[in-house]
Amino acid sequence: MQDWKLSRRFFAAVASAPIAWLFLFFVLPMAIVWGYSFGRNVGLTEIEISGTFANYGKALEPLYLEIMLKSVVVAAITTAICFVVGFPVAMAIAFARDKWKPWLLLLIMLPFWTNLLIRTYALLFVLGGRGLVNSGIEHLYNGTSLVSQLLGFGAFDPYQPVQLLYNNFALILGLVYVHLPFMVLPLYAALDRLDKSLIEASLDLGAGHWKTITRIVIPMAMPGILSGLLITFVPALGAYLTPDLMGGTDSQMIANVIERQFKRANDWPFGAALSFLLLYATFILIALQALRSRKEARQ
């Protein structure tokens, strides 16, 4: 491929369209919202950008800091569960036969072919009061009650559905359900590039599978693991749809608070400040990961 320094006009002409698109539909709107974060409402539809930091000060009040902290904790738990579940799956795909790898990867990527809203409603149908899980438990409960009645012990009380929705359990389960592929794919990419001979040598020397995984596989795949953790944590932190549909009143995350500021409260400056605090946190995480990768590349 030709070096862009030798044909700067050609590469500038090719890059001008995507750069213009990025500026008009990403940089410029983000700059407007960023300006709103330093403004205040002067009417129902008018915002005065006065340079005030009052919105950021309000965002640091205990109420919103608690919601932000809870969002971080929920995102961290989601990321940890995705790693525990996704690592064995990624290993299974990486060490599978070549003819099976494309099909296994296809199964991981299939959820991306379906709208997130549809997948969330499908999970609601499974976990609802009359959903598949509760229906299965109810049939088992009624069968046990019938056996007890036939044996003369008397029938059980009528079955009461288990509350599986609109709580923190449903929130974390939904986030894991949505973000698990984001963890599996980077882990697979890292594990697939490993030198298999080192793993075989570790096993031949009697290290065992667990020691081989903890002392050989995980350290060698650490860049991919960190990428998977970051790629999973960031969207989980800013998740909106899953907490809105599956979480209860005590399971709302920071993205739901931002949505209410823009829609119901009509306080765009405060919503913009909350949005950019979330964006600043994301940039810090990405910068730390980039610095770590650069440091490892120099060593």
Side-chain angles (χ1 to χ4, degrees), residues 135-149 155-159:
S135 296
I137 298 175
E138 182 179 9
H139 287 308
L140 180 62
Y141 182 90
N142 292 336
T144 305
S145 178
L146 178 61
V147 172
S148 177
Q149 186 176 7
F156 298 163
D157 294 332
Y159 174 76

Side-chain angles (χ1 to χ4, degrees), residues 202-223:
S202 175
L203 294 174
D204 291 339
L205 293 173
H209 290 86
W210 179 250
K211 285 187 177 180
T212 299
I213 291 174
T214 56
R215 297 186 180 183
I216 303 298
V217 175
I218 291 181
M220 292 176 61
M222 188 56 66

Side-chain angles (χ1 to χ4, degrees), residues 90-97 101 188 191-192 194 196 199 217:
M91 280 197 65
I93 299 175
F95 290 93
R97 295 183 179 179
K101 284 184 181 180
Y188 162 76
L191 293 171
D192 192 52
L194 295 182
K196 305 298 191 298
I199 300 174
V217 175

Side-chain angles (χ1 to χ4, degrees), residues 68-79:
M68 179 71 78
L69 178 61
K70 181 176 182 179
S71 300
V72 172
V73 172
V74 169
I77 294 174
T78 300
T79 304

